[in-house]
Amino acid sequence: MTAAEKEYGGALYDLAVEEHCEDAVLEGFALAADAFEQTPEYLKLVQNPAVPLAERLALLDEAFGEAHAYVRSMLKILCEKSALGIVPGCLQEYRTRFNAARGILPVEAVTAVPLDEAQKKALCEKLLEQLGGAVRSIQLKNVVDPSVMGGVRLRYEGKELDGTAAGRLAALRRVLTQA
């Protein structure tokens, strides 16, 4: 993440906290980031210096008129600085601060087959029990990867806990080749 992404995303979060509108700003900013990702031609259009700035700003107002005013303002500032490409990184910084303030831990669980609701709930409860402290809730994202063969690999806060069959086989392979 660049310094600019941290600065802009953090500033937007700080402003939202002051005004008690963190949820609405997060929702609108995530919507904008998704829109730019889903329609890269639109992003190219609003970043095109051949299009007058006033028209580009009007396009942003039209597209994101329902979003919170702070989101629209941030998008306009980034447009004026020809920096709309950093929106995903700004969103990541905003979300990181949002989650930290609320004790939310985003966790990615990689499994061979989708987890059902009972399994997700049990996994979240077990993680909360083991992590305790500042973590009040788990935001679980289940990613299906048949190559794990079985078990679960957890990723959070830059850590990876590998309890998959493929991971155990790889560890066994390393031990055997070192012997």
Side-chain angles (χ1 to χ4, degrees):
M1 182 178 311
T2 67
E5 291 167 336
K6 282 187 172 216
E7 182 179 345
Y8 283 106
L12 183 60
Y13 180 75
D14 292 341
L15 178 61
V17 167
E18 284 180 27
E19 299 297 325
H20 309 289
C21 57
E22 303 97 321
D23 293 311
V25 171
L26 177 59
E27 182 181 322
F29 209 44
L31 176 74
D34 287 345
F36 291 153
E37 183 182 331
Q38 298 296 321
T39 54
E41 24 331 292
Y42 177 76
L43 180 59
K44 284 181 187 175
L45 175 66
V46 293
Q47 290 188 115
N48 187 345
V51 177
L53 179 60
E55 287 182 35
R56 289 185 279 149
L57 296 177
L59 286 170
L60 289 171
D61 266 336
E62 186 178 323
F64 302 106
E66 299 295 316
H68 193 279
Y70 293 158
V71 172
R72 290 192 314 274
S73 295
M74 176 62 77
L75 294 174
K76 288 178 181 180
I77 290 168
L78 294 174
C79 182
E80 290 170 353
K81 296 186 176 293
S82 299
L84 282 170
I86 69 168
V87 166
C90 295
L91 174 61
Q92 181 182 350
E93 176 64 18
Y94 186 100
R95 199 172 256 144
T96 297
R97 289 185 180 204
F98 180 91
N99 288 343
R102 296 200 167 159
I104 300 169
L105 178 65
V107 175
E108 182 179 84
V110 181
T111 57
V113 296
L115 296 173
D116 63 30
E117 290 307 312
Q119 291 169 321
K120 288 179 184 177
K121 184 178 178 191
L123 181 58
C124 288
E125 287 173 358
K126 184 72 171 173
L127 273 170
L128 281 172
E129 179 185 308
Q130 289 192 353
L131 296 171
V135 177
R136 292 191 298 262
S137 68
I138 303 288
Q139 186 178 49
L140 188 68
K141 175 183 174 188
N142 185 204
V143 176
V144 176
D145 179 1
S147 72
V148 300
M149 296 188 263
V152 64
R153 179 179 5 186
L154 300 176
R155 294 184 186 130
Y156 62 92
E157 294 183 334
K159 299 174 188 168
E160 185 171 295
L161 303 174
D162 194 346
T164 63
R168 286 185 232 133
L169 288 171
L172 181 60
R173 189 176 306 119
R174 282 191 300 274
V175 168
L176 291 174
T177 57
Q178 291 174 353

